[in-house]
Amino acid sequence: MKAIRTAIGSVEDVLMFFAAASFIAIMLIMSADVLFRYLFSSPLAWAFEVLTRYLMPAAFFFAVSYTLRRGEHLVVEIFHSMMPIKARSFLLGLLYIVATAIIAVICWMSIGTTLGSWRGGEQFVGAINWPVWTSHLIVATGTAVLTLRAVEITISLFIASATGVEPIRSSHAEEEAI
Amino acid sequence: MIALFGIVLLVAALALGLPVAFSLLLSGVAGLMLIGGAPMVLGILETAPAASVSSYELITVPMFILMAELMIVSGVADEMFEVIGRWVQRLPGGLAIATALSGAAFGAVSGSSTAAAATLSASSVPTMVRRGYNPRFAAGVVSISGTLAMLIPPSIALVLYGLLSGENIAALLVAGIIPGLMVTLVIISTVLVLVWLDPKIAPRSADIERLEARHWSAVSFLVLFVSVTGVIYMGVATPTEASALGALGAFVIAAIKGRLTLRTLKGAVFKAAQSTAMIAMIIVGAQVFGYFLTLTQVPQQIVISAGALDVPPWVILLVILFIYLVLGCFLDQIAILILTVPVVLPLIIQLGYDPIWFGVVIIVMAEIGLVTPPVGLNVFVVSRYTGVPVEDVFIGVAPHVVAHLFAIALLVLFPALVLWLPSTM
């Protein structure tokens, strides 16, 4: 279980690096777009497509699983902390099974859309005709890793429901050390 | 009946501790399954996730978050307290007043209330306690002053409200300025009244604290404020563009101040990326749940039912505001906005109220939720950073909650306080 957790974590770390790079790129490209428009009356014609089709999806989908691992997704904590750990973990595990299945479906659909766009040679119409499949690939990759992380959390929750010991949710200590 | 099933499932999932985003996704999909079966669900799941995060306006949220994180790295936020403290420390409760003004100043370069509370805790509470201020009083002022970041532009909450309601984000941000200043004045007035009632909580020391002059911080703060809110007000750039310029400005300030290393940059960007992923995932879930809610026609039924009630609109408004007050005690402000705005806003418009005004009013209501038990996030942040027990912080902030309700009453009675400035754009 630890090896699986580490393996998923390594992929998440790599994706998070790309998400962070997308953040910096969004900041620089959008600022450059404004400056070019005012200083040279020549905005970056390709900026809108790159920002909305690639960089925003990358900034989100590449960070979403890492965020789940760090326990940074918003949770209403007040009620479930009142329940005994075994019952709480079991019920939450059941909900996670359904949530994981839904994320897996989103991933599966995204893979299908990616392949469809690739085979069809679809392109975004704009200043530069960017390929559509690369944008879908970002969604498919992010949700694939999110599915794996959700599976790992589901298993941890059922182990916790059997043992009564809080699941090891994330490598916080390791993250803090960065 | 199906609508009730979906809502009950959502509440149960939230209560059991499933992340808000997944709770929305799960209950939305379950409800859609009952309405249109698998084909409808698959059709929505194929397009909704990517479409939700491909919005140009949504870029405003991560850029404002990044700007806030970089401002924290720059250290300017910490130093603002020292700059302002020099001006007002001779007044009764001077350092508490400096805290309120620092909260407003921090809010003018950051949209995150929690970050504001954490930063103010580190800079102002130790100084106040050293000067003999009552820790409960000091922590209460910090908790409430941190909430100003949510209202004073750039406000992430107002941007989200704009995305959810379809209202003009620039007008919303500008609409937050006067209420932001007004709430700052209300906090200062509360401080003065509390010190007047019990001067021991904020003793006036003969020897004035030697707070360092940080003129550079004041200048960089002003430059950033003008380059974001100024350009939005003047229409030079859209809020989305201004947010990126603001992030770049904060990046440059942090670099000039020598605080920007690979490590601090990575920390700031990673934090911004995680906050964005959290918010965007909720938006994806809310999109799916929104489809379900629309198909059940619940929002329309609420509008029709409320319209048929034989009571004046202001009574319904008061009930709605009371519900926001209660929700704020249990739910995070972002979750409240995303869950309620699509349902409540049509009703508000039907009642004849202005949606921009309503956005600002519910953000001020949400500020109260940040400092009320049991889940007042700012109180927990301040308690963690200062070591003042949580219950003491709650007691310390209580007078400010009452004063905030008074501020909301003013905004309800005089909508021009909100709507005048955007009308001049």
Side-chain angles (χ1 to χ4, degrees):
Chain A
M1 194 64 194
K2 196 181 171 192
I4 295 170
R5 200 179 284 138
T6 310
I8 301 170
S10 303
V11 180
E12 285 169 337
D13 288 345
V14 173
L15 289 186
M16 189 62 177
F17 173 79
F18 284 108
S22 301
F23 261 75
I24 302 286
I26 291 171
M27 178 181 81
L28 294 175
I29 291 173
M30 193 167 271
S31 300
D33 189 31
V34 178
L35 294 177
F36 274 60
R37 192 175 67 215
Y38 277 98
L39 296 180
F40 311 111
S41 301
S42 162
L44 307 176
W46 46 268
F48 182 85
E49 293 293 329
V50 171
L51 288 166
T52 56
R53 305 290 187 184
Y54 296 99
L55 293 176
M56 260 308 272
F60 163 59
F61 282 104
F62 286 169
V64 71
S65 184
Y66 180 97
T67 307
L68 184 62
R69 172 176 111 205
R70 294 291 309 267
E72 295 289 335
H73 279 289
L74 194 61
V75 172
V76 180
E77 291 187 347
I78 178 163
F79 302 109
H80 81 285
S81 56
M82 297 172 185
M83 292 174 70
I85 181 169
K86 285 191 174 181
R88 179 211 315 166
S89 302
F90 180 74
L91 292 172
L92 190 55
L94 291 180
L95 288 173
Y96 255 102
I97 289 178
V98 184
T100 306
I102 295 170
I103 298 163
V105 169
I106 295 173
C107 175
W108 183 250
M109 307 288 292
S110 306
I111 293 170
T113 319
T114 307
L115 290 173
S117 307
W118 181 55
R119 290 193 192 111
E122 292 172 22
Q123 293 180 327
F124 293 118
V125 180
I128 300 171
N129 293 337
W130 304 91
V132 172
W133 69 269
T134 44
S135 179
H136 291 307
L137 186 63
I138 293 170
V139 185
T141 310
T143 49
V145 182
L146 182 63
T147 306
L148 293 175
R149 175 56 67 186
V151 168
E152 183 270 319
I153 290 175
T154 310
I155 294 169
S156 300
L157 283 166
F158 281 114
I159 291 172
S161 76
T163 60
V165 180
E166 277 288 355
I168 305 164
R169 291 295 301 276
S170 67
S171 41
H172 272 254
E174 160 207 328
E175 300 298 340
E176 297 304 330
I178 292 174
Chain B
M1 199 62 201
I2 291 176
L4 188 66
F5 165 78
I7 291 165
V8 169
L9 187 59
L10 173 65
V11 172
L14 288 172
L16 283 167
L18 192 67
V20 174
F22 295 172
S23 301
L24 284 162
L25 197 58
L26 183 149
S27 43
V29 165
L32 287 168
M33 267 312 249
L34 291 176
I35 293 173
M40 177 187 278
V41 172
L42 292 177
I44 289 171
L45 291 184
E46 186 176 10
T47 54
S52 303
V53 297
S54 299
S55 144
Y56 181 75
E57 284 76 21
L58 185 62
I59 298 174
T60 319
V61 173
M63 286 299 103
F64 276 154
I65 296 174
L66 182 61
M67 175 179 157
E69 294 295 343
L70 289 170
M71 281 310 283
I72 292 170
V73 167
S74 76
V76 168
D78 293 305
E79 294 164 6
M80 283 311 292
F81 175 71
E82 298 192 9
V83 174
I84 297 167
R86 281 173 65 87
W87 304 338
V88 294
Q89 62 177 329
R90 284 182 174 81
L91 296 173
L95 289 178
I97 293 171
T99 304
L101 291 171
S102 303
F106 189 86
V109 290
S110 158
S112 163
S113 288
T114 319
T119 308
L120 284 173
S121 297
S123 55
S124 68
V125 173
T127 312
M128 281 195 274
V129 171
R130 201 166 54 239
R131 288 275 296 274
Y133 279 48
N134 179 315
R136 195 182 269 179
F137 167 72
V141 176
V142 172
S143 302
I144 196 75
S145 301
T147 66
L148 286 168
M150 209 170 168
L151 182 60
I152 296 175
S155 156
I156 293 160
L158 278 172
V159 173
L160 270 178
Y161 177 84
L163 291 170
L164 291 164
S165 64
E167 291 301 319
N168 183 324
I169 293 174
L172 273 166
L173 289 171
V174 170
I177 294 177
I178 290 179
L181 294 173
M182 191 188 94
V183 172
T184 310
L185 282 177
V186 167
I187 296 172
I188 291 172
S189 308
T190 311
V191 164
L192 289 171
V193 169
L194 290 172
V195 174
W196 177 66
L197 289 173
D198 183 5
K200 287 199 294 295
I201 58 172
R204 295 176 79 164
S205 172
D207 41 303
I208 296 300
E209 187 99 6
R210 286 193 58 78
L211 296 169
E212 278 185 60
R214 308 269 194 181
H215 301 303
W216 210 96
S217 293
V219 171
S220 52
F221 153 78
L222 278 175
V223 166
L224 199 57
F225 178 68
V226 169
S227 69
V228 177
T229 305
V231 299
I232 292 173
Y233 179 74
M234 291 183 291
V236 174
T238 65
T240 314
E241 292 167 343
S243 67
L245 289 173
L248 185 65
F251 179 92
V252 171
I253 290 169
I256 291 174
K257 290 197 63 125
R259 302 282 187 101
L260 201 63
T261 62
L262 206 56
R263 185 190 168 90
T264 55
L265 178 64
K266 183 185 169 190
V269 178
F270 270 41
K271 274 189 190 168
Q274 288 178 75
S275 300
T276 304
M278 181 268 281
I279 293 172
M281 191 67 214
I282 295 178
I283 291 175
V284 170
Q287 182 94 346
V288 175
F289 191 77
Y291 278 120
F292 160 64
L293 217 52
T294 307
L295 289 172
T296 60
Q297 296 196 320
V298 165
Q300 293 94 314
Q301 282 167 13
I302 290 175
V303 171
I304 293 165
S305 309
L309 289 173
D310 190 21
V311 289
W314 63 266
V315 174
I316 299 173
L317 178 72
L318 281 186
V319 172
I320 291 171
L321 292 180
F322 179 73
I323 292 170
Y324 272 98
L325 190 65
V326 175
L327 283 177
C329 294
F330 297 98
L331 282 175
D332 180 271
Q333 321 314 323
I334 291 169
I336 293 175
L337 280 180
I338 292 176
L339 289 171
T340 62
V341 167
V343 180
V344 174
L345 194 62
L347 175 58
I348 286 294
I349 294 169
Q350 164 88 4
L351 292 173
Y353 292 107
D354 187 283
I356 289 184
W357 167 83
F358 181 68
V360 171
V361 169
I362 59 169
I363 298 299
V364 184
M365 290 300 291
E367 286 185 335
I368 296 179
L370 279 171
V371 292
T372 45
V375 292
L377 194 58
N378 269 25
V379 168
F380 288 100
V381 169
V382 170
S383 173
R384 195 174 71 204
Y385 277 83
T386 61
V388 179
V390 170
E391 54 273 26
D392 280 357
V393 187
F394 275 127
I395 293 168
V397 83
H400 296 283
V401 172
V402 176
H404 244 72
L405 291 172
F406 175 72
I408 289 165
L410 283 179
L411 294 177
V412 171
L413 289 172
F414 306 105
L417 287 169
V418 178
L419 297 173
W420 174 72
L421 200 55
S423 73
T424 63
M425 285 171 75

